[in-house]
Amino acid sequence: DVKVTQSSRYLVKRTGEKVFLECVQDMDHENMFWYRQDPGLGLRLIYFSYDVKMKEKGDIPEGYSVSREKKERFSLILESASTNQTSMYLCASRIQVPSYGYTFGSGTRLTVV
Amino acid sequence: GIQVEQSPPDLILQEGANSTLRCNFSDSVNNLQWFHQNPWGQLINLFYIPSGTKQNGRLSATTVATERYSLLYISSSQTTDSGVYFCAVARYDYKLSFGAGTTVTVRA
């Protein structure tokens, strides 16, 4: 069964900490995405990577950065965590064909205190 | 960005009932997807449907691109259909804009 795996289901961090959220896919997909999900707002795109070492900003990149050194791994970095970054973070991947479906990870619920 | 409005925000169904969820969007798109998020948070892609009609079991979807809306039909609903249904659109392929979702509760 194909999978997108996020390293942590729940995470609690302190304000100002540097936080790494890891996502690994085993499907050889070119495209990978990081979203955050907040009640009433749906999902919002933070960053997108269309291939190794390639990245593009999404709608809300402020306060975040990403790294994709290998095709299967896409990391989201919170340089200095703040309480307004408390959220559910979802990683997704797909092959670079518009009609192909997205495969999502199960999410990381991050709480910044 | 493209605005996406989903209605109704909440829907409570008796098992076996049929329902229609609506997605309105503010601009022309070449990518429209429907997703289901189960009560445990897992998101599943249901349809890629920028235009036309598709069916998958008890679910079907129709998009009328010229009028900027899409409909998701659930027939003979089951408790496993509970969760949040999201519509997401993009003008240029990958940069999906999500609606706020419709929360569906199916009661046995």
Side-chain angles (χ1 to χ4, degrees):
Chain A
D1 196 15
V2 294
K3 277 191 176 175
V4 174
T5 302
Q6 295 185 229
S7 53
S8 304
R9 180 67 172 151
Y10 299 95
L11 211 51
V12 179
K13 295 293 181 180
R14 294 193 181 279
T15 301
E17 276 194 77
K18 190 168 187 176
V19 180
F20 293 85
L21 302 184
E22 305 288 345
C23 175
V24 177
Q25 50 98 359
D26 64 0
M27 298 163 284
D28 203 35
H29 285 175
E30 295 94 351
N31 301 164
M32 295 188 75
F33 308 81
W34 274 107
Y35 291 89
R36 66 176 280 176
Q37 182 177 11
D38 300 288
L41 297 179
L43 279 70
R44 293 178 290 167
L45 181 64
I46 305 172
Y47 266 97
F48 161 65
S49 169
Y50 47 91
D51 211 335
V52 179
K53 299 196 177 182
M54 303 298 209
K55 61 185 180 185
E56 281 194 29
K57 293 180 180 179
D59 297 319
I60 52 164
E62 297 78 19
Y64 304 95
S65 62
V66 290
S67 172
R68 193 167 180 203
E69 296 296 318
K70 294 185 178 181
K71 193 173 187 179
E72 67 270 18
R73 186 180 297 270
F74 191 35
S75 302
L76 179 69
I77 303 156
L78 286 66
E79 296 291 343
S80 177
S82 63
T83 54
N84 63 13
Q85 293 178 309
T86 292
S87 186
M88 172 68 85
Y89 290 87
L90 292 159
C91 176
S93 73
R94 65 159 202 188
I95 63 173
Q96 196 157 323
V97 174
S99 59
Y100 197 83
Y102 291 68
T103 301
F104 276 85
S106 54
T108 296
R109 184 164 294 282
L110 173 68
T111 302
V112 182
V113 298
Chain B
I2 301 176
Q3 305 303 308
V4 183
E5 292 185 2
Q6 292 187 242
S7 59
D10 299 282
L11 194 57
I12 299 175
L13 302 170
Q14 204 62 35
E15 202 169 27
N18 302 327
S19 63
T20 302
L21 283 59
R22 187 176 179 103
C23 170
N24 293 333
F25 45 96
S26 62
D27 206 344
S28 58
V29 299
N30 65 8
N31 187 351
L32 188 148
Q33 313 248 356
W34 282 97
F35 296 85
H36 175 230
Q37 187 172 41
N38 68 22
W40 296 271
Q42 183 65 50
L43 265 160
I44 303 294
N45 227 148
L46 298 175
F47 294 104
Y48 166 79
I49 187 165
S51 63
T53 298
K54 287 187 177 179
Q55 180 153 7
N56 184 1
R58 295 180 296 99
L59 299 180
S60 62
T62 296
T63 297
V64 182
T66 53
E67 297 187 22
R68 299 180 185 169
Y69 73 88
S70 183
L71 302 173
L72 179 70
Y73 305 97
I74 306 173
S75 64
S76 303
S77 58
Q78 300 177 358
T79 55
T80 52
D81 295 329
S82 295
V84 184
Y85 290 81
F86 290 103
C87 170
V89 304
R91 186 177 295 116
Y92 306 115
D93 185 24
Y94 67 88
K95 200 168 181 179
L96 291 176
S97 295
F98 281 73
T102 293
T103 300
V104 173
T105 303
V106 181
R107 293 182 172 160

